[in-house]
C-alpha cells in the first residue's frame, strides 16, 4: 500500500540459486527450478499460507491485488497504464484477477484490469459474494 515495500512470507518452493544466472523471472509451467516439496506446495497454493502472518501484521489483506517483487514493479510501472493504481490499497493473498484465472505467468494487462475493477468496485458485499 502507498508503494511501500514489505517482506512477504512464503514457503520456499524454488532452489536457493533459482535466479542466480537469469536474474528475476516469473515461474513457468513445470519450472525445473522447483523443489519436490515446492511442486506440491505450489499446486495446492499452500506456499501462500505464511502470508497470514503479513495479514496479522497489517501489511496485507486477505483480498486485494497480489503483491509483486520490486524488480517487476519498476518494469511494469513503465510498461502498463495505470499499474501503480493497484498500490493505493493493501496487497492481498488473493485477488479478483486470480479468482478470474489471471494468476502466475499470465497477461499483466488483464491482471491490472481486474485489480483496478476490484479497487473501484469494492464493497464488503463484493468480498463476501466472491471470496467467502
Amino acid at each position: 500500500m502507498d508503494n511501500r515495500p514489505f517482506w512477504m512470507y512464503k514457503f520456499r518452493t524454488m532452489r536457493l540459486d533459482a535466479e542466480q544466472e537469469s536474474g528475476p523471472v516469473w515461474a513457468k509451467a513445470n519450472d525445473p527450478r522447483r523443489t519436490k516439496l515446492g511442486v506440491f506446495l505450489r499446486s495446492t497454493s499452500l506456499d501462500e499460507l505464511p502470508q497470514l502472518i503479513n495479514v496479522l501484521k497489517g501489511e496485507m489483506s486477505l483480498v486485494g491485488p497480489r503483491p509483486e517483487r520490486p524488480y517487476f514493479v519498476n518494469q511494469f510501472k513503465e510498461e502498463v497504464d495505470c499499474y501503480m493504481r493497484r498500490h493505493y490499497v493493501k496487497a492481498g493473498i488473493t485477488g479478483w484477477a486470480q479468482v478470474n484465472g489471471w494468476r502466475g505467468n499470465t497477461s499483466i494487462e488483464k491482471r491490472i484490469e481486474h485489480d483496478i475493477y476490484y479497487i473501484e468496485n469494492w464493497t464488503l458485499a463484493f468480498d463476501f459474494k466472491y471470496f467467502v
Side-chain angles (χ1 to χ4, degrees), residues 12-16 32-40:
R12 177 168 294 284
T13 60
M14 300 279 187
R15 296 186 329 257
L16 286 174
R33 302 170 303 152
R34 297 173 301 169
T35 64
K36 289 179 182 177
L37 180 58
V39 170
F40 171 75

Side-chain angles (χ1 to χ4, degrees), residues 18-30:
E19 294 181 332
Q20 185 174 14
E21 293 180 19
S22 65
V25 293
W26 278 347
K28 54 187 175 226
N30 301 315

Side-chain angles (χ1 to χ4, degrees), residues 12-100:
R12 177 168 294 284
T13 60
M14 300 279 187
R15 296 186 329 257
L16 286 174
D17 64 349
E19 294 181 332
Q20 185 174 14
E21 293 180 19
S22 65
V25 293
W26 278 347
K28 54 187 175 226
N30 301 315
D31 199 311
R33 302 170 303 152
R34 297 173 301 169
T35 64
K36 289 179 182 177
L37 180 58
V39 170
F40 171 75
L41 290 172
R42 291 171 81 82
S43 69
T44 59
S45 295
L46 288 173
D47 59 323
E48 312 291 351
L49 196 59
Q51 291 169 33
L52 289 173
I53 295 168
N54 292 109
V55 172
L56 292 173
K57 289 174 66 178
E59 298 167 329
M60 288 179 71
S61 178
L62 291 175
V63 181
R66 288 290 297 146
E68 193 57 76
R69 293 183 286 169
Y71 174 87
F72 293 110
V73 170
N74 289 328
Q75 177 184 342
F76 297 147
K77 74 180 181 183
E78 301 299 326
E79 298 174 358
V80 182
D81 286 341
C82 302
Y83 179 80
M84 295 306 286
R85 287 183 63 197
R86 65 196 307 274
H87 294 222
Y88 294 163
V89 298
K90 285 184 184 178
I93 293 177
T94 193
W96 187 235
Q98 288 69 37
V99 167
N100 286 281

Side-chain angles (χ1 to χ4, degrees), residues 102-114:
W102 300 103
R103 61 179 288 179
N105 196 0
T106 59
S107 167
I108 187 66
E109 290 82 4
K110 283 291 192 186
R111 285 191 276 149
I112 300 311
E113 180 182 314
H114 284 78

Side-chain angles (χ1 to χ4, degrees), residues 112-130:
I112 300 311
E113 180 182 314
H114 284 78
D115 289 343
I116 302 236
Y117 177 87
Y118 176 79
I119 292 166
E120 291 177 348
N121 295 281
W122 178 86
T123 64
L124 192 54
F126 185 101
D127 279 1
F128 274 98
K129 181 175 182 179
Y130 295 105

